[in-house]
Structures are given as structure tokens and as C-alpha cells.
Amino acid sequence: MNAPPPPLLVPQADPGASYRAQAAEIDRAVGRVLASGWYILGGECAAFEREFALWQGQKRAVGVANGTDALALILRGLGLGPGASVVTVSHTAVATVAAIEMVGATPILIDIDPLHYTIDPQELEAVLADPPPGLPPIRAVIAVHLYGGMAEIDAIVAIADRFGVAVIEDCSQSHGAMWRGRKCGSFGTAAAFSLYPTKNLGALGDGGVLTTDDEALAERIAALRQYGWRERYVSDLAGVNSRLDELQAAILRVKLTGLDAANERRRAIAAAYDEALAATPFAPPARRPGSTHVFHQYVIRCTDRAGVQARLRAEGIGTGVHYPVPVHLQPAYRGRIALGPSACRETERAAREVLSLPMFPELTDAQVERVVIALRALR
Ligand SMILES: *Cc1c(COP(=O)(O)O)cnc(C)c1O
């Protein structure tokens, strides 16, 4: 019989740790909301929207129920739905593609640059110049900044501009990532952020926010998130219900004050892993020159992934796979989604090889050291 695995000494993620790190402040914020008697779209949400927009360096932020809705509401706000195709990647959370179909638009999934796991600009150019036949015209591209690293956003915006296509940024894994000192989310028409508990900025429940410098778009989306109301009980637009509640907004205001320090800590952990990997066959994750990475995940590639996972697990170290099956191969999507010219070859290879090491800001120095020792032993 096999010995049972040792207890997990270093989990891959631990959303509870982010609460414990700011528990007193969060408890105070929660108490304030509970006592206020106002639970939906009040002062906390408005304040979070102001503070998040300021932190982003953008004009407007709109709080919504989750990251998927943030993407869908941006598409709706831009008038995109049936009759539009939207290009994005297959190597992403299914949510990115689900949002496109939620509004009735048609997804086209293209391949990634294997070094950074984000849109391959050459594929984008090829698919815009010569779209798959029989689909509605391409009206937007969703650039996903995956794992905390920037997509090649300047090239993506330049190509999209040339074809008159809107750029939406999916920043659900990249709160605070920058390119040439400018925050992700400020390059396209609008940006969506998931605030799911494990994200770099995470609520203690569901939440999402979107940002834009287009005031009219922000107003339209703010109405769409609540039955299309411009004023109470008057629906100018056919909207939905996707609100950020006051409890989550108050918690997020506390968490936002710690976000820059938390991202700094993620980078320090990443630097320790980099050094440990230097003596092994495994390459540390690439950083795009001129960019600031925020390490939502620290991802290495291994051809014997199961073997490496087992060796780390034997040392009490948890790992994850983001993501084991690309969207276009998931049962719900398989065989019915148009792909780019390379048929997502690099995406499928990445799905077989990527491995996410423990990464969250509250990892202790002792836990990081434990991972470092285990990584060095992989030589
Ligand atoms: C988490 C995530 C989403 C979806 O967010 P939800 O808040 O779970 O709806 C969308 N895109 C990416 C890249 C994500 O990582």
C-alpha cells in the first residue's frame, strides 16, 4: 500500500489568508455596512468605484456582480451581440468566452505566444485580414493579461485600430500590471476585472469591476447593470441585474489599500523561485521587457507535469494547472468554435505542460524557503 501523502504545508492558493491579514479592518468595514441598513448600490460601492478608478488612473469604474458580467456588460455597452464576432484566446478562464456567448456574439479563438501565454499578434493580424468564412464581422478583440503578465497590448491595439476593431482588456488576473509605467486596462476601450476571492484584488464572495475613460459608455453600463434604469423604475435600456453589493465593496476598499504591497510581495516570491530554478532544467516565467508583472500565478512548463507535481506533493507543496483543457476542447465548445490559422497549436501544448507553483502574498518566508528547497532538488 502507498503511504498517505504528507499534510499540505504550502497550499497553492489560500483565499482565507487574505482575510486574516486584514481581519480587524475588514470586520470593522463589514460591521459598518451591516449597521447602515443599506446593502445594495450605496456609498460603499460609489466610494470603491472612485477609489479604484483613481488607483487605475482612469476616469470611471463601475462595480458589477462578477468578472464574467463585467466583460459581458462592456460588450453590451458597446452594442455588440448577435451579428458580431469577438476574437480572443482559448488559453484563458472559460469565463472570457462565456461572456461573449452570453451577449449572443460569436467567439473566434486564436493562438497564444508560447512565452507569455497571451494573444499572438501575428494570429490576430491574420484573422482580422482573413476572417473565418460564414461568421458575423469581427467587431472586438478581448486581450487577456494572463497570470499577471501583460499581453503585447501596444501591438494588439495598433493592429485592432488598423482594422477598426475595439480592444477590451480582460484584467481579471492582472490588477496592477503595467507596461511602460501605464496600468493594464487603460490601453483599450474598456477593461474588465474579476474580484473573485483568489484574484490579486479579491472580494470575500463574488465581485467585478470595469473601467473606461469613455464617460458615456460608463453611464450606459451603469444603467445596464440595474434593469437599464437611468432613474428609479424607468428602464431606458433592456438591462440585467449585476450589482456589486455594499458588503463586498466595503471589503474591497480595505483590500485595495493593500494591493500594491501584495503585488510587491508576489514579485519577491517570484524572484526567490527564479533563483531556485536557475540550477534546474525549468525556465522561470518570461517577463515582457518594459512591463511590471504581478504574478497572479507563477507558471513553469514541464513535459512530465504529473511527475513534477508528485515530487512537490511529496514535500507537502501544492500545485495547480491553469488550465488543463483549452476552451475550444471543453465539452460545451468542442467542434463548434472557429479557431485562428494555427488551430491553437501552442495553446494545446501549453495546456499539457503548464504548472502553477504556490503563489499568494501571505506565503510566509518559511513556506517560500520550503518551495525553494524542493525546486532546487528538481535538477
Ligand atoms: C477569473 C476570471 C474571469 C471571470 O471572473 P468571475 O468573477 O469568476 O466571473 C474572467 N477572465 C479571466 C482571465 C479570469 O481569470
Side-chain angles (χ1 to χ4, degrees):
M1 249 181 66
N2 291 331
L8 205 49
L9 301 168
V10 191
Q12 201 270 325
D14 181 6
S18 77
Y19 165 64
R20 290 189 296 275
Q22 291 180 289
E25 265 185 286
I26 290 173
D27 289 354
R28 263 200 306 283
V30 167
R32 182 175 75 224
V33 174
L34 294 180
S36 76
W38 193 290
Y39 306 116
I40 296 279
L41 295 190
E44 298 289 343
C45 182
F48 172 68
E49 290 174 341
R50 272 195 311 275
E51 289 159 10
F52 191 77
L54 195 68
W55 178 82
Q56 260 296 108
Q58 289 188 269
K59 286 194 184 138
R60 293 290 300 272
V62 181
V64 297
N66 55 67
T68 312
D69 282 1
L71 284 168
L73 283 165
I74 291 169
L75 292 168
R76 287 274 317 261
L78 292 172
L80 302 182
S85 288
V86 177
V87 176
T88 192
V89 285
S90 188
H91 188 68
T92 182
V94 171
T96 313
V97 182
I100 297 170
E101 293 205 330
M102 250 172 85
V103 303
T106 302
I108 298 172
L109 303 183
I110 63 173
D111 212 356
I112 51 169
D113 146 14
L115 208 53
H116 303 96
Y117 306 101
T118 54
I119 282 185
D120 175 352
Q122 283 184 345
E123 280 252 325
L124 178 62
E125 173 132 37
V127 88
L128 290 175
D130 184 19
L135 299 182
I138 297 170
R139 304 279 306 282
V141 50
I142 299 179
V144 183
H145 303 291
L146 204 73
Y147 302 150
M150 293 285 298
E152 203 174 324
I153 196 64
D154 52 328
I156 292 167
V157 169
I159 294 165
D161 279 354
R162 209 153 13 90
F163 287 89
V165 162
V167 175
I168 297 163
E169 297 177 72
D170 185 345
C171 303
S172 296
Q173 302 193 4
S174 59
H175 318 65
M178 291 192 281
W179 192 72
R180 296 197 172 157
R182 197 167 140 195
K183 286 224 171 78
C184 73
S186 66
F187 294 86
T189 301
F193 299 76
S194 169
L195 304 170
Y196 184 81
T198 56
K199 304 296 163 102
N200 290 46
L201 178 63
L204 301 178
D206 269 315
V209 64
L210 56 95
T211 58
T212 182
D213 284 325
D214 180 338
E215 305 265 8
L217 177 63
E219 285 303 317
R220 212 151 51 236
I221 294 172
L224 283 171
R225 78 172 158 183
Q226 178 160 243
Y227 325 128
W229 282 355
R230 234 175 267 283
E231 58 180 287
R232 206 166 177 79
Y233 306 127
V234 182
S235 292
D236 283 339
L237 304 162
V240 297
N241 173 3
S242 182
R243 299 175 295 218
L244 180 65
D245 71 68
E246 290 287 282
L247 277 175
Q248 298 306 334
I251 292 165
L252 287 161
R253 292 180 67 197
V254 175
K255 295 266 210 110
L256 182 60
T257 63
L259 178 54
D260 289 332
N263 282 341
E264 200 57 55
R265 172 69 181 157
R266 287 174 185 268
R267 279 190 288 274
I269 296 167
Y273 291 174
D274 285 352
E275 220 184 297
L277 289 172
T280 75
F282 302 101
R287 280 75 149 169
R288 206 178 282 294
S291 78
T292 307
H293 206 297
V294 293
F295 291 98
H296 175 60
Q297 302 293 355
Y298 185 99
V299 174
I300 60 171
R301 297 180 78 124
C302 13
T303 42
D304 175 24
R305 180 167 65 196
V308 174
Q309 277 189 293
R311 287 176 67 183
L312 293 174
R313 185 64 190 79
E315 300 299 326
I317 295 164
T319 55
V321 175
H322 304 95
Y323 296 90
V325 181
V327 179
H328 70 279
L329 297 180
Q330 298 276 345
Y333 298 92
R334 193 175 191 118
R336 66 173 186 85
I337 303 283
L339 304 180
S342 81
C344 288
R345 191 181 338 109
E346 291 297 343
T347 296
E348 293 184 13
R349 192 164 70 85
R352 286 192 297 272
E353 297 181 356
V354 289
L355 182 66
S356 306
L357 300 182
M359 177 54 82
F360 53 94
E362 298 81 15
L363 280 171
T364 64
D365 289 347
Q367 285 176 313
V368 173
E369 187 55 24
R370 203 175 172 89
V371 178
V372 160
I373 290 167
L375 290 177
R376 285 209 188 101
L378 292 176
R379 75 175 75 229

